[in-house]
Amino acid sequence: MTLAGPSPKARISSMRPTAWYQKGTGIVLASGSTSLIARWKDQTANARDLIQATGANQPALQTDGSLLFDGSASFLQTATFTLAQPTMVYLLFKQVTFTDTDVICDGFTVTSGQFLQDTTTPNISLSSGTTAVTNTTFTLNTYAVGAALFSAAVSTLTRNKGPSPTSATVGTTAMAGFTLGANGSGSAFANIQVKEVILFAGAHQQTQQLQVINYLSGIGGLGL
């Protein structure tokens, strides 16, 4: 029997993400390439595409539908747009390798909304001016959902449905856009694979976070 009601994707759409990069959708390969990615199109009506015009900096499409960022040069970045705290960032991703201070994602400018590899593998911290809220439960080479609330002293970072570390201030810098695979200036590259990214303007309550995590779990086959 098929249950009535909106699909998981429709439920997320109804929550009005500010940008949404979906697995296997909107991926534009570089001219003449079978794997290098020049653009990952935003699937909202906001058209906030992730772009990389330089061939040496383009991530590579993988057979599982993920984007591989090599940790040496590859990253994608939007144009600048209004995105102030509070902000929710959801990533369906895995860390391939770990290097202290490498940046998984950021805002448009440096240290405005970072997932930061911090000190000891596989720790990830947040930073919007101040590094804090370190989550020690991520695992290398294992896909997970990272769900972050950037909201000054009440910021949180969860892995899947686990608890967040105690909230501490991460700063108040506005993201003003989004960078994936590096910091906002295009350096501190992280070696990661990413299947999906969803950004929201505003804070989510626990029930809303679980809705997004459940959706991404289904996309990634995590079984949460």
Side-chain angles (χ1 to χ4, degrees):
M1 180 178 68
T2 302
L3 296 176
S7 68
K9 185 175 286 187
R11 283 194 291 270
I12 302 308
S13 183
S14 72
M15 297 167 68
R16 299 191 177 186
T18 194
W20 189 357
Y21 310 100
Q22 296 177 5
K23 177 178 176 285
T25 302
I27 292 172
V28 179
L29 297 179
S31 178
S33 176
T34 60
S35 64
L36 295 179
I37 297 165
R39 184 181 296 263
W40 196 4
K41 292 183 179 180
D42 176 15
Q43 296 304 302
T44 74
N46 297 320
R48 292 163 176 160
D49 297 354
L50 283 163
I51 300 168
Q52 181 52 260
T54 303
N57 299 121
Q58 290 166 343
L61 183 64
Q62 303 299 291
T63 56
D64 67 353
S66 68
L67 281 63
L68 175 63
F69 295 80
D70 62 12
S72 299
S74 53
F75 73 104
L76 296 169
Q77 189 174 53
T78 67
T80 187
F81 61 89
T82 300
L83 186 59
Q85 292 187 12
T87 307
M88 296 295 310
V89 177
Y90 295 89
L91 301 179
L92 174 58
F93 79 111
K94 68 178 178 181
Q95 301 177 89
V96 179
T97 62
F98 182 97
T99 302
D100 182 31
T101 72
D102 278 359
V103 176
I104 293 165
C105 67
D106 201 356
F108 185 80
T109 57
V110 177
T111 321
S112 58
Q114 290 186 351
F115 280 47
L116 177 73
Q117 293 183 324
D118 191 10
T119 308
T120 303
T121 183
N123 296 355
I124 297 176
S125 299
L126 301 182
S127 182
S128 289
T130 302
T131 301
V133 193
T134 303
N135 191 309
T136 64
T137 67
F138 287 89
T139 305
L140 290 187
N141 280 307
T142 302
Y143 280 108
V145 178
L149 167 63
F150 289 92
S151 187
V154 294
S155 301
T156 58
L157 174 61
T158 63
R159 174 185 176 268
N160 297 334
K161 295 181 180 178
S164 173
T166 302
S167 298
T169 187
V170 299
T172 59
T173 306
M175 292 182 72
F178 186 66
T179 307
L180 184 60
N183 67 22
S185 69
S187 60
F189 307 100
N191 185 201
I192 56 173
Q193 282 181 251
V194 181
K195 289 187 174 180
E196 194 145 339
V197 182
I198 316 177
L199 311 178
F200 292 88
H204 281 172
Q205 301 300 320
Q206 185 179 40
T207 54
Q208 294 171 303
Q209 290 192 35
L210 289 174
Q211 281 188 308
V212 181
I213 291 167
N214 285 339
Y215 161 75
L216 291 172
S217 172
I219 295 296
L222 304 185
L224 300 178

